[in-house]
Amino acid sequence: MQKEVFLKILGERIREIRERKGITQKQLAHAIDKDQQSIQRLETGKINPSIYYLLEVAHGLEVELDILIINDSKV
Amino acid sequence: MQKEVFLKILGERIREIRERKGITQKQLAHAIDKDQQSIQRLETGKINPSIYYLLEVAHGLEVELDILIINDSKV
DNA sequence: TTGGAACACAACGGATATGTTGTATTTTCC
DNA sequence: GGAAAATACAACATATCCGTTGTGTTCCAA
């Protein structure tokens, strides 16, 4: 799968989970000591985040890390 | 979980999968157009790899990406 | 003992992630 | 429509990834 496509889908998935929780980018960011712009870049697929960064986001969303992960076969 | 601990466990897990497949760091690296040193840094937990880099490694190992992922609750 | 294979370590350069600030745009709600 | 909130975009500085080269160490086989 192409990198850009992968990152875009990852971002969309994270956004879905966040919205399902009913919190804003800012609230998620502050919960994990980041800021809104950082979450925005992630959700829009503009960056290729590190795995630890994703772990922190998963914590902020109160989900397991693997829930954020996309496998090729699922796309 | 501490970053260093997380990355170390991730690296160990990747090494286990690679060894179970019976291939060397060099073989894995070349299969995904990287080199041995890059895989070495990953397996020893010296870096915080990007998610897309991990996806490529998963391809090289012929596993799904989420197999590489550690959740806090599992550690 | 020598040679080769496998793994580890260090350093360098270019690219890019991430934190940050500022601001623009969009959405929501009155 | 207007205000406020939410999201998006841009740019800058710093840190770090990743590719790369060179080399060291260990182990095994010939």
Side-chain angles (χ1 to χ4, degrees), chain A residues 1-4 6-7 10 48-55 59 63-67 69-74, chain B residues 1-4 6-7 10 48-55 59 63-67 69-74:
Chain A
M1 180 169 27
Q2 277 202 334
K3 187 172 178 179
E4 293 72 25
F6 174 80
L7 296 177
L10 174 65
N48 178 15
S50 71
I51 186 65
Y52 193 75
Y53 181 90
L54 284 182
L55 178 67
H59 280 165
V63 298
E64 300 294 340
L65 177 54
D66 58 8
I67 292 181
I69 301 304
I70 305 152
N71 284 306
D72 279 315
S73 59
K74 296 180 188 167
Chain B
M1 180 169 26
Q2 277 203 335
K3 187 172 180 179
E4 293 72 24
F6 174 80
L7 296 176
L10 174 64
N48 178 16
S50 70
I51 186 66
Y52 193 74
Y53 180 89
L54 283 182
L55 178 67
H59 281 165
V63 297
E64 300 293 341
L65 178 54
D66 58 8
I67 291 182
I69 301 305
I70 306 153
N71 284 306
D72 279 316
S73 59
K74 297 180 187 166

Side-chain angles (χ1 to χ4, degrees), chain B residues 10-36:
Chain B
L10 174 64
E12 288 168 5
R13 173 169 312 195
I14 290 169
R15 170 165 294 169
E16 281 171 19
I17 298 173
R18 176 180 59 80
E19 291 180 341
R20 205 175 307 139
K21 268 190 69 85
I23 63 176
T24 67
Q25 289 181 348
K26 193 175 183 179
Q27 287 171 326
L28 170 58
H30 287 8
I32 55 178
D33 210 45
K34 305 195 178 303
D35 50 25
Q36 179 261 328

Side-chain angles (χ1 to χ4, degrees), chain A residues 7-8 11-12 15 39-47:
Chain A
L7 296 177
K8 211 141 193 88
E12 288 168 4
R15 169 165 297 169
I39 300 297
Q40 188 270 326
R41 282 181 299 206
L42 173 64
E43 289 189 355
T44 49
K46 296 209 173 354
I47 57 169

